[in-house]
Amino acid sequence: MIRNSYRKCRSIYHKFRFYWSVNWTKTLYFNFKKFPFETAKKLPVFFYKRIKFSSISGEIQIDGNIEKGMIGFGQPYELNTVHRGIAEINIQGKLIFKGKFQFGKDYFLFVGENAVCELGNMSSMASNAKLICLEKVVLGNYVRLGAESQIIDTNFHDMIDTVTGEKQKKTGPIFIGDYTFSGSRISIMKNTKTPDFCTIATNSFCNKDYTSWGNNILIGGVPAKLIRTNISRDWQGEKQQLDDFLTI
């Protein structure tokens, strides 16, 4: 009896801590501002701790079954527990969620006007992540990117050929295949395309199409090169754990 009472108290305590971490003001405002009432009342998007809305004028679309807290901005699912309070979103274009998604703590998300950003089911970007989309960024299902990673589909500034004077295109689409997994501090730049079941080593720089190397590959380096074939994260072995991370 004492053990059962302890477990119940512990469960209540953890639920209390969890709900205390939710920024209810921003959560309620965002959901009822961006979604029809029938969707908004289910609170599919949760914001945790401090967050700045620089702009939420763009379109937000959720495909699939709507569940409470299925999308977490600043969701506490990592070992580190402290928020620095620098999280910021600026959504002027179209942001599409294909299911559940997580941003870790202190993220930055920018979707420019006329840009399209599509985020796959059960995918995530860990703490201090940066996603800047000025043209198109597509993350497949179960894309799990480590802390301090960045996805940027633009050079920001015009580059020219100093001989011919030809101006290069500033932006280029990014397509990340299903079940792509990375270490921390990776940079995924314009025109990057990865195959399914691709692993990206820590501190790597990706800037081209890697799909010709096939699935189940490990790439890494600056710029990224093929390191190993026939290797993959144990997705089936971790499936229950990943599901638990996204269950409110």
Side-chain angles (χ1 to χ4, degrees), residues 65-121:
N65 295 327
I66 303 298
E67 301 177 29
K68 181 177 69 174
M70 61 187 292
I71 298 160
F73 285 86
Q75 190 166 346
Y77 70 96
E78 301 164 87
L79 293 177
N80 58 318
T81 60
V82 178
H83 292 249
R84 290 187 292 160
I86 60 171
E88 180 180 354
I89 63 172
N90 190 325
I91 304 170
Q92 302 172 34
K94 186 172 185 178
L95 178 61
I96 304 169
F97 292 98
K98 305 299 287 186
K100 297 179 179 180
F101 193 90
Q102 295 168 298
F103 284 98
K105 295 171 280 295
D106 301 313
Y107 51 89
F108 176 65
L109 171 64
F110 184 95
V111 182
E113 188 175 357
N114 300 319
V116 177
C117 181
E118 181 179 305
L119 305 176
N121 182 45

